[in-house]
């Protein structure tokens, strides 16, 4: 057995200590393969055992797919407890879905003729941008730039971001006129707009405590990939009394295209001075030959949270060192083929 029972037990102690911390604000720093999702499962199980109302426990993940996976894992973990606890009514969703729920409960969507839906990537490109380009008398690619510039200003809470593609005043006015009428006509919203609307309503007092869902516990996964608007949304909910548990790793922030801001998880102790931090350091996923060079490389990033990641396979019985390869490809198709062939070879080798 590569990883011994003793190693696994030691790692689970770290996970349990984080999951059962009673502090109002908890930060979990979890490197790759250290058991972040398992700790979230333990967190939900623990607070339900302590009497939390399942419908008042909100777990937020980044995409619909990760929400679906996490929902299943949480329910299964809680069902396997002794005695089992019912997690069927724990609310697992994206931040966008939670924001829409709050806006709906607070009657902030009455301008739409029907319950609005969020446009996906295909709809934004083939419907929204196509129609916006006609209104602006511009190409669809230019219309996309205008849309993305406005979306960026919402996601970063910085109006100056609207100038990232040198958007003209005429384009701004054209976008505002188009967006106001077309989103009402189609009952739709853009991704960055949803949370921005919710944050604005909370800040202006348009949403009162009685308008909000009862969020007793708020658990946020992949916190490093939240943008400034997302983080403000979480902060406002925590300010309403929710116990906040966030999990992630600033070294794994990869969504810069949607303005992910890893300083949110880095500066958590300053934002929440009464909060506590739990690191997970035992890596089940990677061997020493991977963790060592990766740690040296990422160590050049300024202002990152220091970590002491340990590859369990190095002290396993027998030890597993692994192999590090550095590949270069002429294009994405060649890269995809090489990865597929590598996976086939690994599977064939057992």
């Amino acid at each position: 057995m590569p990883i011994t029972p003793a190693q696994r037990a030691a790692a689970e102690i770290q996970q349990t200590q984080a999951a059962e911390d009673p502090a109002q604000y908890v930060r979990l720093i979890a490197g790759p393969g250290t058991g972040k999702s398992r700790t979230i499962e333990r967190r939900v199980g623990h607070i339900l055992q302590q009497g939390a109302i399942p419908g008042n426990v909100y777990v937020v993940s980044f995409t619909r797919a990760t929400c679906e996976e996490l929902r299943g894992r949480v329910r299964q973990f809680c069902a396997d407890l002794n005695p089992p606890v019912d997690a069927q009514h724990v609310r697992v969703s994206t931040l966008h879905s939670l924001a829409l729920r709050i806006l709906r409960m607070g009657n902030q969507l009455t301008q739409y003729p029907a319950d609005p839906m969020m446009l996906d990537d295909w709809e934004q490109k083939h419907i929204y941008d196509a129609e916006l380009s006609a209104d602006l008398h511009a190409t669809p690619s230019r219309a996309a730039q205008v849309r993305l510039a406005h979306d960026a200003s919402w996601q970063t809470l910085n109006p100056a971001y609207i100038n990232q593609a040198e958007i003209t005043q005429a384009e701004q006015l054209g976008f505002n006129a188009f967006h106001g009428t077309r989103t009402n006509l189609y009952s739709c919203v853009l991704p960055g707009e949803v949370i921005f609307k919710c944050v604005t309503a909370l800040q202006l007092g348009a949403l009162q405590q009685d308008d909000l869902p009862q969020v007793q516990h708020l658990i946020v996964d992949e916190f490093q990939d939240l943008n400034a608007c997302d983080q403000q949304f979480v902060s406002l909910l925590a300010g309403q009394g929710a116990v906040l548990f966030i999990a992630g790793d600033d070294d794994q922030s990869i969504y810069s295209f949607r303005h992910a801001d890893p300083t949110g998880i880095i500066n958590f102790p300053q934002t929440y001075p009464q909060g506590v931090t739990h690191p997970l350091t035992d890596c089940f996923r990677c061997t020493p030959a991977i963790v060592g060079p990766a740690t040296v490389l990422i160590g050049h990033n300024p202002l990152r949270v220091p970590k002491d990641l340990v590859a369990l396979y190095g002290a396993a019985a027998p030890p597993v060192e692994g192999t590090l390869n550095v590949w270069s490809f002429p294009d994405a198709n060649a890269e995809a083929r090489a990865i597929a062939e590598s996976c086939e070879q690994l599977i064939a080798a057992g």
Side-chain angles (χ1 to χ4, degrees), residues 157-229:
L157 296 178
N158 181 2
Y161 262 90
I162 208 167
N163 293 321
Q164 63 176 344
E166 298 182 353
I167 306 302
T168 66
Q169 185 177 17
E171 287 173 326
Q172 289 188 39
L173 294 173
F175 174 88
N176 291 336
F178 171 86
H179 186 70
T181 57
R182 206 57 54 96
T183 55
N184 286 347
L185 175 65
Y186 293 150
S187 290
C188 64
V189 288
L190 292 172
E193 179 185 17
V194 177
I195 297 176
F196 180 79
K197 280 180 175 289
C198 203
V199 166
T200 302
L202 287 165
Q203 290 176 331
L204 295 178
L207 288 167
Q208 300 299 321
Q209 183 72 43
D210 292 342
D211 299 324
L212 300 175
Q214 296 298 310
V215 185
Q216 185 180 0
H217 289 269
L218 179 61
I219 300 169
V220 185
D221 190 17
E222 306 291 7
F223 198 82
Q224 76 278 355
D225 287 324
L226 271 58
N227 56 46
C229 190

Side-chain angles (χ1 to χ4, degrees), residues 13-248:
I13 289 175
Q14 288 185 341
Q15 298 169 14
T16 300
Q17 288 175 340
E20 298 183 0
D21 195 304
Q24 185 74 19
Y25 311 108
V26 180
R27 177 179 69 165
L28 177 71
I29 297 293
T34 56
K36 174 172 61 68
S37 296
R38 190 66 169 176
T39 306
I40 290 175
E41 297 166 23
R42 293 178 188 275
R43 177 70 174 185
V44 175
H46 173 70
I47 60 180
L48 291 180
Q49 288 176 325
Q50 297 299 304
I53 299 171
N56 293 348
V57 176
Y58 285 74
V59 182
V60 173
S61 194
F62 199 66
T63 67
R64 294 174 185 173
T66 57
C67 285
E68 187 65 28
E69 179 188 5
L70 190 56
R71 183 183 297 112
R73 293 184 57 159
V74 165
R75 290 177 177 177
Q76 188 61 56
F77 178 86
C78 291
D80 291 341
L81 291 173
N82 186 21
V85 293
D86 184 8
Q88 293 297 312
H89 297 292
V90 170
R91 302 182 187 275
V92 183
S93 72
T94 63
L95 272 181
H96 296 96
S97 295
L98 177 55
L100 273 175
R101 175 181 174 82
I102 292 173
L103 290 169
R104 191 180 300 115
M105 291 181 66
N107 293 317
Q108 297 297 306
L109 301 174
T110 54
Q111 72 269 34
Y112 300 99
D115 200 25
M117 59 174 289
M118 191 172 68
L119 295 178
D120 62 24
D121 290 341
W122 189 94
E123 292 163 337
Q124 290 175 67
K125 179 179 179 180
H126 295 281
I127 300 176
Y128 191 97
D129 292 348
E131 296 187 7
L132 176 60
S133 67
D135 266 37
L136 295 180
H137 305 290
T139 63
S141 60
R142 181 57 181 174
Q145 287 183 317
V146 174
R147 169 179 56 80
L148 289 170
H150 285 80
D151 212 44
S153 71
W154 293 325
Q155 294 185 39
T156 61
L157 296 178
N158 181 2
Y161 262 90
I162 208 167
N163 293 321
Q164 63 176 344
E166 298 182 353
I167 306 302
T168 66
Q169 185 177 17
E171 287 173 326
Q172 289 188 39
L173 294 173
F175 174 88
N176 291 336
F178 171 86
H179 186 70
T181 57
R182 206 57 54 96
T183 55
N184 286 347
L185 175 65
Y186 293 150
S187 290
C188 64
V189 288
L190 292 172
E193 179 185 17
V194 177
I195 297 176
F196 180 79
K197 280 180 175 289
C198 203
V199 166
T200 302
L202 287 165
Q203 290 176 331
L204 295 178
L207 288 167
Q208 300 299 321
Q209 183 72 43
D210 292 342
D211 299 324
L212 300 175
Q214 296 298 310
V215 185
Q216 185 180 0
H217 289 269
L218 179 61
I219 300 169
V220 185
D221 190 17
E222 306 291 7
F223 198 82
Q224 76 278 355
D225 287 324
L226 271 58
N227 56 46
C229 190
D230 297 335
Q231 293 169 28
Q232 184 63 29
F233 179 45
V234 169
S235 177
L236 289 168
L237 292 179
Q240 300 289 334
V243 177
L244 179 61
F245 182 97
I246 67 127

Side-chain angles (χ1 to χ4, degrees), residues 287-290 313 319-324:
T287 64
I290 307 302
Y313 291 101
V320 181
E321 286 299 323
T323 303
L324 176 67

